[in-house]
Structure formats: C-alpha cells, structure tokens
Amino acid sequence: MKQVLSELRRTSRICRMVLATCLGSFILVTFYFQIMRRNPLMVDESFRKGSRNALQELYNPSQLDLSTAAVLHQSRRDQVLDACSVYSASSRKRRVLTPGDLKHLVVDDDHELIYCYVPKVACTNWKRVMMVLTGRGKYSDPMEIPSNEAHVPSNLKTLNQYTIAEINHRLKNYFKFFFVREPFERLVSAYRNKFTLKYNSSFHKRFGTRIIKRYRKNAMQEAMLNGDDVKFKEFVEYLIDPATQRDGPLNEHWQTVYQLCHPCHIHYDMVGKYETLEEDANYVLRLVGVGDSLRFPSYAKSTRTTDTMTAQFFSNISSQQQVQLYNLYKMDFLMFNYSLPGYLRLDQ
C-alpha cells in the first residue's frame, strides 16, 4: 500500500512539472508574439542570426540551382589546386605570406566575406558592392557611388589592417573569393586604360616616361617628358625586361593574379570569371543572402577589350617576346584554365 501511495505522489509531481512547463512555454510564446507585433523587424534579425552563411550554401547548397553552380565552382577550385601542386613540386622554396601581401583582400565583417580585388576585372564595381555591404545602410545602389570614391583606401578595410590572430580567424572562417580574366585581355585592357587615355597623366609620368626613355630609339624630348604615347610593343618590352623585375613588384594593374591574391597560399572558396561576370557575381550575392535586394551592376560591353582586339595588339609582338610574356603570366593561364590564345606564334 505504501508503495502504491509513493508511486501516486511521484506521478502527481511529474504531472505538476509538465503542466508548469507547458504553461511557462505558452506565456513565453504569447509574450514573444506581443513583442513581434510591436517590432516586426526583429523577425529579420532573428532569421539573419540563425540563417546559413555563404560557406554553408556553397559547400552544402539548400537549393537545386545552387547545387548546379557548386559543381562548377568545385572544378575551378580543383584547377587552382592542381596548378599550385605542380608549381610547388617544381619550386624549391615556398614563400611565407606577410600582412603586406594581404592589402588586396577587402574584408566585410558583417557578412563574413573576403574579396581579393584584381584591377581590370570589374574591381571598381566590386568595390562599390562591398561599400554597400559594409556601409550599414549608408549606400543602397552601387552605381550611386562615384568610381573615384570606390578607390579611396579608407572606404574599405583590408585584411592587412588586422592582427595576426584576427587575420587567421578570418582566413579560416570567412567566404573568400576573387575574379579573374583571360590574362592577355586583362593586360591589353590595362595598357589601353593607363597609356592611351589622356586623363591618366599620373601613369604617363610614372611609367610612360621611363618606358619611352628605355625602349624608344631616338625618342623626342617631348615624348620623354610627357610619356603619353607609349606603344604596346614598348610596354611589352618593359614587362619582359629583367631590369623591371629587379625594380620591384609590377604595378597592380598588370601584376599577375597569382601574385596579387596568392591562391597557392590562401584557400579561396570561389573563383569568378570575367567572361561570366554577371552570373558569377550575382551567385556570390545569393550565397551571402542579399541576392533579392542587391544586384551586381551591368557593365558597358561596347568599350571592353575583346579577344579580337587583343589579337590585333599582339600582331606586332615578335614570337620570342610572346614566349617571354606568356612565361610571365603562365601561372594565371594554368590556374584558371585559360587556353593558349590562337593568335600567339610561340613555335616560330
């Protein structure tokens, strides 16, 4: 009898505990919805904190169309890895990166993004987009940001501005990406922009005068003074000259992606391509979770440097110089799966 009474008391206590728990849960749910009625924005914040991040969406997609894209980007990562493995096997030393090597890596702490910008690969528009993402409401439309404003260093934070521990944390946990372009198209685009447009006088003075003095026979005094009529052939001679390499790193506008973003040292999650710019860029924005509210700006196709245009510029370059130039950009061709251009005469 005592045992039965003891069981009844214990059952009664359990029932009271369950009833109290249910009542408490009901009160909390009611209180929550009362708050939400007053402040509906809390729903967005709640979902944002609990939502999947860009890395999760990339490596374990929740939607079928994202799964298809994920396969493509896995193949691009594999291509980089394979090229780096071959290079590492043939290289006697592996350079350790310093914070100074990370100045091209733009950081967005709010969305846990790292973007390595490559000049002449839509980097102005990408910087505009990063300013929108990091602006916390200051900007809404990337194209409202003047192009010169996008290149002001203080408007974006780069990875070299963090401590070593903070750098390592971000490299390990953030979504890292960059965009590439056919190497010689990018090179001709840089030449056209920096040496054929009159407003780029700073490049004319800094590089043009030096190039003309070194590589133009019987150069006119005015040309050596202004540096504003550099020929593409002279520009190529400058690039392949060992003396240029001894002067220090190449300018970022014609430096290799391999040297700017260090993809053999940093594991990037995505490699976008200029040839599929709009598609790849908006894929990044979808992964980040802002695809519905932010679109990557369109670009003027009429002014871009094309393969046909690039072939015309290379027609006056000797086969020996073409070989030397290809060797300079060889890693970019190999890592990003760009075929040898048909207009090159490497076997002559």
Side-chain angles (χ1 to χ4, degrees):
M1 188 69 178
K2 288 181 180 180
Q3 186 176 357
V4 173
L5 287 173
S6 176
E7 286 292 331
L8 287 172
R9 290 195 195 96
R10 188 169 66 172
T11 302
S12 177
R13 281 199 303 273
I14 293 172
C15 288
R16 286 199 299 274
M17 289 172 64
V18 170
L19 182 61
T21 301
C22 291
L23 182 60
S25 299
F26 176 76
I27 292 171
L28 284 173
V29 170
T30 304
F31 180 65
Y32 172 80
F33 280 107
Q34 285 177 339
I35 292 175
M36 297 313 298
R37 199 174 294 132
R38 294 191 200 118
N39 187 10
L41 290 178
M42 285 189 64
V43 174
D44 292 337
E45 182 65 16
S46 173
F47 277 121
R48 190 184 74 80
K49 288 183 178 178
S51 64
R52 291 158 57 85
N53 63 26
L55 287 176
Q56 291 171 321
E57 281 295 352
L58 177 66
Y59 291 105
N60 187 21
S62 60
Q63 300 174 44
L64 182 60
D65 57 336
L66 292 180
S67 299
T68 304
V71 174
L72 168 67
H73 292 292
Q74 179 62 56
S75 69
R76 290 182 182 176
R77 288 193 298 272
D78 291 343
Q79 179 72 28
V80 171
L81 186 63
D82 290 345
C84 290
S85 297
V86 172
Y87 173 78
S88 297
S90 62
S91 176
R92 294 182 178 180
K93 61 180 180 179
R94 179 181 173 88
R95 191 169 69 85
V96 177
L97 294 183
T98 65
D101 293 313
L102 308 176
K103 61 184 179 182
H104 273 250
L105 278 70
V106 177
V107 180
D108 172 8
D109 284 319
D110 291 339
H111 300 90
E112 299 187 342
L113 282 180
I114 294 177
Y115 159 62
C116 181
Y117 72 88
V118 178
K120 308 313 299 175
V121 192
C123 82
T124 300
N125 280 345
W126 261 117
K127 285 182 178 181
R128 285 169 164 152
V129 169
M130 294 297 285
M131 286 176 69
V132 172
L133 291 173
T134 59
R136 301 189 177 184
K138 183 178 180 181
Y139 308 102
S140 58
D141 181 1
M143 294 311 291
E144 290 180 354
I145 303 171
S147 59
N148 63 317
E149 193 75 12
H151 295 292
V152 175
S154 60
N155 284 336
L156 290 167
K157 195 166 185 180
T158 50
L159 195 58
N160 61 313
Q161 296 174 259
Y162 293 82
T163 66
I164 297 297
E166 290 170 336
I167 288 171
N168 289 333
H169 170 77
R170 282 158 179 77
L171 287 176
K172 182 179 179 181
N173 296 288
Y174 283 18
F175 176 83
K176 302 170 292 298
F177 71 101
F178 62 97
F179 274 69
V180 299
R181 183 177 186 177
E182 202 280 338
F184 287 163
E185 268 191 31
R186 176 175 167 248
L187 183 65
V188 170
S189 177
Y191 166 76
R192 291 178 64 212
N193 180 258
K194 301 307 176 187
F195 294 110
T196 68
L197 301 177
K198 295 299 180 185
Y199 66 80
N200 269 322
S201 57
S202 61
F203 273 81
H204 302 160
K205 294 290 186 183
R206 183 179 174 189
F207 297 102
T209 54
R210 187 191 319 170
I211 291 173
I212 290 172
K213 288 175 183 176
R214 280 188 185 179
Y215 309 106
R216 183 176 299 179
K217 295 179 180 179
N218 304 316
M220 301 294 289
Q221 190 65 32
E222 183 180 3
M224 290 190 291
L225 184 64
N226 297 327
D228 59 356
D229 67 338
V230 172
K231 304 296 186 289
F232 184 68
K233 188 177 188 301
E234 295 167 339
F235 178 52
V236 169
E237 288 183 81
Y238 163 75
L239 291 173
I240 61 179
D241 189 342
T244 301
Q245 302 296 323
R246 291 194 294 268
D247 288 342
L250 295 176
N251 179 268
E252 62 178 14
H253 292 86
W254 45 84
Q255 178 61 282
T256 63
V257 179
Y258 170 72
Q259 292 288 355
L260 290 176
C261 296
H262 311 286
C264 289
H265 295 77
I266 297 172
H267 173 77
Y268 284 92
D269 303 291
M270 181 177 156
V271 179
K273 291 201 169 187
Y274 189 76
E275 295 77 14
T276 51
L277 174 62
E278 194 168 345
E279 180 184 344
D280 290 351
N282 287 315
Y283 174 65
V284 171
L285 297 178
R286 284 189 65 193
L287 290 176
V288 176
V290 297
D292 292 335
S293 58
L294 181 61
R295 300 290 293 177
F296 192 81
S298 299
Y299 63 100
K301 294 183 180 181
S302 60
T303 59
R304 64 161 287 187
T305 301
T306 63
D307 180 69
T308 303
M309 193 182 297
T310 303
Q312 292 173 347
F313 276 93
F314 270 78
S315 63
N316 293 324
I317 307 301
S318 71
S319 58
Q320 182 182 0
Q321 290 173 330
Q322 289 182 6
V323 169
Q324 291 174 288
L325 200 60
Y326 174 77
N327 287 334
L328 185 61
Y329 291 93
K330 184 176 180 178
M331 280 302 291
D332 284 5
F333 276 99
L334 296 177
M335 284 192 298
F336 311 125
N337 201 27
Y338 284 110
S339 302
L340 204 64
Y343 53 77
L344 293 187
R345 307 182 306 277
L346 302 185
D347 56 345
Q348 293 182 14

